[in-house]
Amino acid sequence: NTSFICTTAITQSLKTRWERATFSFLKEAGLGDNASDQTVVTAAAEITRVLNKWFDMLVEMHSKSDRFYHTLVHLEEMFCYMDILLQQPVNSDGTARHPGNNDQSDDEDCCYGPMIIALAIFFHDAVYNPKSSTNEEDSAELYRTFSSELSSVV
């Protein structure tokens, strides 16, 4: 079934993006690749459990049959736009850098920008009720719930 194969490929791609975006939480907690102490390993496992639970929940929400626009395909499209935008040179104020403009301002090397954008993509309109006018606000609240749960284990 072509539809199943496409959905599986998109889900795998999104999972990779989710892991890239959320790996910084493990690093922030000192739980990166070299974790070996049992306490650290246990903490990393709990953070990973929370992150996997939320990824699965977001995939389920974006896969509901009543969605026609904010779907897994839409998320993948948004990530393609993000990739294009992140390749464009910009100044720290977000304006395009023109050839010959060597303004190397303060925020340019910040590694959190792509993570923040990725999380915004995953959570934007994750909550969808066609009869509601508060989907965006409800999705923001969903992110706050995610953030709070993650903070409790980091």
Side-chain angles (χ1 to χ4, degrees):
N1 185 336
T2 308
S3 176
F4 175 77
I5 293 170
C6 181
T7 301
T8 302
I10 289 172
T11 302
Q12 283 302 111
S13 173
L14 292 172
K15 179 70 172 184
T16 299
R17 290 181 180 278
W18 176 259
E19 289 170 348
R20 274 192 231 139
T22 59
F23 181 74
S24 61
F25 292 114
L26 293 169
K27 288 182 83 168
E28 283 289 314
L31 306 173
D33 292 327
N34 298 323
S36 60
D37 177 84
Q38 186 57 43
T39 304
V40 171
V41 171
T42 302
E46 181 60 13
I47 292 169
T48 301
R49 183 194 65 75
V50 169
L51 293 174
N52 287 339
K53 176 186 97 170
W54 277 91
F55 176 77
D56 292 344
M57 184 186 319
L58 290 167
V59 166
E60 183 180 326
M61 294 173 83
H62 284 90
S63 299
K64 290 185 177 176
S65 62
D66 63 345
R67 288 181 175 246
F68 297 99
Y69 182 70
H70 289 100
T71 63
L72 296 176
V73 171
H74 176 66
L75 291 180
E76 189 66 20
E77 289 170 344
M78 295 298 296
F79 279 111
C80 289
Y81 291 128
M82 180 185 93
D83 293 344
I84 292 167
L85 288 172
L86 291 176
Q87 291 175 8
Q88 302 300 314
V90 294
N91 297 314
S92 62
D93 64 358
T95 58
R97 179 173 301 135
H98 300 287
N101 179 357
N102 293 321
D103 176 21
Q104 301 288 326
S105 18
D106 48 314
D107 297 343
E108 190 162 286
D109 294 323
C110 178
C111 62
Y112 294 112
M115 177 193 79
I116 293 167
I117 295 168
L119 290 173
I121 289 170
F122 275 111
F123 281 90
H124 93 281
D125 279 325
V127 175
Y128 175 73
N129 175 351
K131 296 178 181 177
S132 174
S133 63
T134 62
N135 289 326
E136 289 83 4
E137 293 85 354
D138 296 342
S139 295
E141 183 58 36
L142 183 70
Y143 172 79
R144 286 189 287 276
T145 302
F146 160 74
S147 180
S148 176
E149 182 176 349
L150 190 58
S151 295
S152 73
V153 296
V154 172

